[in-house]
Amino acid sequence: MEMTLRWYGSKSDSVTLQQIRQIPGVTGVITTLYETSPGDLWEREQIHALKEEVEASGLHISGIESVNIHDSIKIGSPDRDRYIENYIRTLKHLGEEDIHLVCYNFMPVFDWTRTELARVRSDGSTVLAYSQKTVDRIDPAKMFESISSGSNGFVLPGWEPERMARVKELFEMYTGVDEERLFANLKYFLEAIMPVCDQYNIHMAIHPDDPAWSVFGLPRIIINLPNLQRMMKMVDNPHNGVTFCSGSYGTNPDNDLPGMIRALEGRIHFAHVRNLQHNFPGDFEEAAHLSSDGSFDMYAIMKALYDIRFTGPIRPDHGRMIWGENAMPGYGLYDRALGAAYLNGLWEAIEKGAAGK
């Protein structure tokens, strides 16, 4: 495996490439053209400039997260082919720049949902948190106000102001889109892009819905092992794979995370590894990566990835805000650096244990 860190670009991220380069064992970044909108064509020149900037720091681009998918593709509207063509051309340009991993999601309206961006934990750190009771009381049109007020001045991925200004319109667009139709539209999209993925060896790694259940009545399909197996079977191509995000699948305690990893052998192209603390049904908060700080057995998760001979990128996912840092919630430097070091330590111990050392 390769340890990486997500980086939003020099114009949008409080964390610099130089800082990332100093985290022991981190050799690549997962990045994006953050100024683009869903449906935009990524020109090769833009990608090349981003690649040169990253490589000048001594790192490299391990993958893209995300090339966001236009809502017309998700709802299956008549103009979807135009946006799919832009996606295909973007993938071609990425392949020409020797980038072979794209993480994406197929979530309607909201890319991820939290009700708090700075819940205070017992150690004084602050974390992203979710309360179903709060969601049940809130008007979805007001969600952006809640999220924006706790963003520390950063534009959060999936919660861009220009997109959230259209929340009512977006909900209306998804009227009549149920799980079956969403699956059908995902199949249509994947069948269209697989030829260019085959040509340039690009692994498409779908990110799970977060949380792993319906929010505000919107359909959610990438939530558990049976649905993942259905997705892979309906477009049975090794380039059609998954991002295994322990935090997103782990929002549902019924998901057996190590068991899912083993069942997905050969189709996990990217891994987000993080911890959650389940407080009671429908209420969870993010935790330090250390197993004892949350509800997950992080050793078992990393061991399962090792056992399936996973060789792709891993990144520590959302971190706590600690030591007075002001950054995009979940994406500060300090706790993610601690997480990367911890995950690298687990991997080293697993490797040496397997070798009998």
Side-chain angles (χ1 to χ4, degrees), residues 101-113:
L101 171 69
V102 173
C103 171
Y104 70 104
N105 75 70
F106 220 72
M107 287 182 257
V109 185
F110 302 118
D111 277 8
W112 51 273
T113 307

Side-chain angles (χ1 to χ4, degrees), residues 76-88:
S77 66
D79 62 343
R80 65 179 169 180
D81 289 335
R82 172 163 63 94
Y83 295 110
I84 290 175
E85 180 58 31
N86 279 354
Y87 211 100
I88 290 169

Side-chain angles (χ1 to χ4, degrees), residues 4-7 28-32 62-65 101 270 313 315:
T4 66
L5 209 74
R6 190 172 188 180
W7 181 65
V29 295
I30 304 296
T31 189
T32 188
S62 304
I64 296 295
E65 183 182 346
L101 171 69
F270 182 28
R315 70 171 178 84

Side-chain angles (χ1 to χ4, degrees), residues 147-256:
I147 293 293
S148 179
S149 65
S151 67
N152 295 337
F154 292 87
V155 177
L156 301 175
W159 293 86
E160 295 81 6
E162 60 273 16
R163 177 174 173 77
M164 290 301 101
R166 301 172 51 233
V167 165
K168 185 177 180 181
E169 176 190 345
L170 288 169
F171 267 85
E172 290 172 352
M173 287 172 61
Y174 282 92
T175 301
V177 178
D178 58 11
E179 291 185 3
E180 288 304 312
R181 186 170 169 189
L182 201 60
F183 262 119
N185 294 339
L186 175 58
K187 182 175 186 286
Y188 185 95
F189 166 72
L190 288 170
E191 287 178 337
I193 67 169
M194 280 299 111
V196 74
C197 293
D198 291 338
Q199 181 180 357
Y200 289 97
N201 191 31
I202 295 174
H203 293 305
M204 296 298 296
I206 195 165
H207 189 282
D209 301 340
D210 190 357
W213 56 76
S214 175
V215 177
F216 300 123
L218 295 166
R220 295 289 182 101
I221 57 174
I222 308 302
I223 58 173
N224 55 30
L225 181 59
N227 284 20
L228 281 173
Q229 290 172 325
R230 175 180 176 180
M231 182 209 71
M232 291 185 296
K233 185 177 180 180
M234 73 186 189
V235 181
D236 193 8
N237 184 309
H239 290 114
N240 173 29
V242 307
T243 295
F244 190 85
C245 178
S246 62
S248 297
Y249 288 121
T251 57
N252 183 350
D254 292 337
N255 282 332
D256 171 8

